[in-house]
PDB file of all heavy atoms in Angstrom:
ATOM      1  N   ASP A 294       6.236  15.877   2.693  1.00  0.00           N
ATOM      2  CA  ASP A 294       6.340  17.240   2.266  1.00  0.00           C
ATOM      3  C   ASP A 294       7.048  18.026   3.369  1.00  0.00           C
ATOM      4  O   ASP A 294       7.701  19.001   3.060  1.00  0.00           O
ATOM      5  CB  ASP A 294       4.863  17.828   2.166  1.00  0.00           C
ATOM      6  CG  ASP A 294       4.121  17.151   0.993  1.00  0.00           C
ATOM      7  OD1 ASP A 294       4.420  17.411  -0.140  1.00  0.00           O
ATOM      8  OD2 ASP A 294       3.246  16.340   1.246  1.00  0.00           O
ATOM      9  N   GLU A 295       6.851  17.596   4.609  1.00  0.00           N
ATOM     10  CA  GLU A 295       7.579  18.275   5.687  1.00  0.00           C
ATOM     11  C   GLU A 295       7.939  17.158   6.755  1.00  0.00           C
ATOM     12  O   GLU A 295       7.290  16.208   6.859  1.00  0.00           O
ATOM     13  CB  GLU A 295       6.754  19.273   6.487  1.00  0.00           C
ATOM     14  CG  GLU A 295       6.544  20.634   5.723  1.00  0.00           C
ATOM     15  CD  GLU A 295       5.961  21.692   6.611  1.00  0.00           C
ATOM     16  OE1 GLU A 295       5.450  21.296   7.697  1.00  0.00           O
ATOM     17  OE2 GLU A 295       6.082  22.892   6.238  1.00  0.00           O
ATOM     18  N   ALA A 296       9.111  17.396   7.410  1.00  0.00           N
ATOM     19  CA  ALA A 296       9.536  16.442   8.445  1.00  0.00           C
ATOM     20  C   ALA A 296       9.925  17.258   9.692  1.00  0.00           C
ATOM     21  O   ALA A 296      10.658  18.315   9.513  1.00  0.00           O
ATOM     22  CB  ALA A 296      10.665  15.631   8.012  1.00  0.00           C
ATOM     23  N   TRP A 297       9.470  16.847  10.837  1.00  0.00           N
ATOM     24  CA  TRP A 297       9.796  17.552  12.143  1.00  0.00           C
ATOM     25  C   TRP A 297      10.313  16.516  13.005  1.00  0.00           C
ATOM     26  O   TRP A 297      10.057  15.245  13.000  1.00  0.00           O
ATOM     27  CB  TRP A 297       8.505  18.100  12.780  1.00  0.00           C
ATOM     28  CG  TRP A 297       7.818  19.208  12.013  1.00  0.00           C
ATOM     29  CD1 TRP A 297       6.965  19.084  10.984  1.00  0.00           C
ATOM     30  CD2 TRP A 297       8.063  20.627  12.172  1.00  0.00           C
ATOM     31  NE1 TRP A 297       6.566  20.372  10.510  1.00  0.00           N
ATOM     32  CE2 TRP A 297       7.257  21.275  11.207  1.00  0.00           C
ATOM     33  CE3 TRP A 297       8.881  21.358  13.035  1.00  0.00           C
ATOM     34  CZ2 TRP A 297       7.198  22.674  11.152  1.00  0.00           C
ATOM     35  CZ3 TRP A 297       8.881  22.706  12.961  1.00  0.00           C
ATOM     36  CH2 TRP A 297       8.086  23.365  12.038  1.00  0.00           C
ATOM     37  N   PRO A 298      11.174  16.933  14.059  1.00  0.00           N
ATOM     38  CA  PRO A 298      11.612  16.003  15.117  1.00  0.00           C
ATOM     39  C   PRO A 298      10.429  15.450  15.879  1.00  0.00           C
ATOM     40  O   PRO A 298       9.468  16.144  16.134  1.00  0.00           O
ATOM     41  CB  PRO A 298      12.502  16.857  15.992  1.00  0.00           C
ATOM     42  CG  PRO A 298      12.877  18.058  15.124  1.00  0.00           C
ATOM     43  CD  PRO A 298      11.762  18.235  14.249  1.00  0.00           C
ATOM     44  N   ILE A 299      10.533  14.167  16.268  1.00  0.00           N
ATOM     45  CA  ILE A 299       9.413  13.500  16.938  1.00  0.00           C
ATOM     46  C   ILE A 299       9.140  14.222  18.272  1.00  0.00           C
ATOM     47  O   ILE A 299       7.988  14.209  18.743  1.00  0.00           O
ATOM     48  CB  ILE A 299       9.787  12.030  17.172  1.00  0.00           C
ATOM     49  CG1 ILE A 299       8.553  11.300  17.742  1.00  0.00           C
ATOM     50  CG2 ILE A 299      10.923  11.853  18.089  1.00  0.00           C
ATOM     51  CD1 ILE A 299       7.423  11.239  16.743  1.00  0.00           C
ATOM     52  N   ARG A 300      10.120  14.927  18.874  1.00  0.00           N
ATOM     53  CA  ARG A 300       9.878  15.552  20.157  1.00  0.00           C
ATOM     54  C   ARG A 300       8.878  16.741  19.998  1.00  0.00           C
ATOM     55  O   ARG A 300       8.384  17.228  20.971  1.00  0.00           O
ATOM     56  CB  ARG A 300      11.189  16.033  20.747  1.00  0.00           C
ATOM     57  CG  ARG A 300      11.931  17.099  19.861  1.00  0.00           C
ATOM     58  CD  ARG A 300      13.244  17.622  20.533  1.00  0.00           C
ATOM     59  NE  ARG A 300      13.899  18.535  19.713  1.00  0.00           N
ATOM     60  CZ  ARG A 300      14.809  18.116  18.824  1.00  0.00           C
ATOM     61  NH1 ARG A 300      15.199  16.878  18.750  1.00  0.00           N
ATOM     62  NH2 ARG A 300      15.485  19.034  18.102  1.00  0.00           N
ATOM     63  N   ASP A 301       8.706  17.222  18.753  1.00  0.00           N
ATOM     64  CA  ASP A 301       7.784  18.363  18.542  1.00  0.00           C
ATOM     65  C   ASP A 301       6.360  17.857  18.229  1.00  0.00           C
ATOM     66  O   ASP A 301       5.464  18.696  18.022  1.00  0.00           O
ATOM     67  CB  ASP A 301       8.256  19.194  17.321  1.00  0.00           C
ATOM     68  CG  ASP A 301       9.545  19.886  17.584  1.00  0.00           C
ATOM     69  OD1 ASP A 301      10.006  19.945  18.779  1.00  0.00           O
ATOM     70  OD2 ASP A 301      10.185  20.408  16.610  1.00  0.00           O
ATOM     71  N   PHE A 302       6.059  16.592  18.264  1.00  0.00           N
ATOM     72  CA  PHE A 302       4.767  16.098  17.820  1.00  0.00           C
ATOM     73  C   PHE A 302       3.651  16.677  18.675  1.00  0.00           C
ATOM     74  O   PHE A 302       2.622  17.231  18.163  1.00  0.00           O
ATOM     75  CB  PHE A 302       4.737  14.572  17.826  1.00  0.00           C
ATOM     76  CG  PHE A 302       3.330  14.066  17.597  1.00  0.00           C
ATOM     77  CD1 PHE A 302       2.758  14.152  16.250  1.00  0.00           C
ATOM     78  CD2 PHE A 302       2.585  13.454  18.580  1.00  0.00           C
ATOM     79  CE1 PHE A 302       1.494  13.677  16.026  1.00  0.00           C
ATOM     80  CE2 PHE A 302       1.251  13.030  18.360  1.00  0.00           C
ATOM     81  CZ  PHE A 302       0.716  13.097  17.072  1.00  0.00           C
ATOM     82  N   ALA A 303       3.787  16.598  19.985  1.00  0.00           N
ATOM     83  CA  ALA A 303       2.660  16.973  20.914  1.00  0.00           C
ATOM     84  C   ALA A 303       2.280  18.415  20.662  1.00  0.00           C
ATOM     85  O   ALA A 303       1.125  18.766  20.673  1.00  0.00           O
ATOM     86  CB  ALA A 303       3.082  16.717  22.341  1.00  0.00           C
TER      87      ALA A 303
END
Side-chain angles (χ1 to χ4, degrees):
D294 295 289
E295 286 192 344
W297 295 87
I299 189 63
R300 62 177 176 270
D301 292 348
F302 173 73

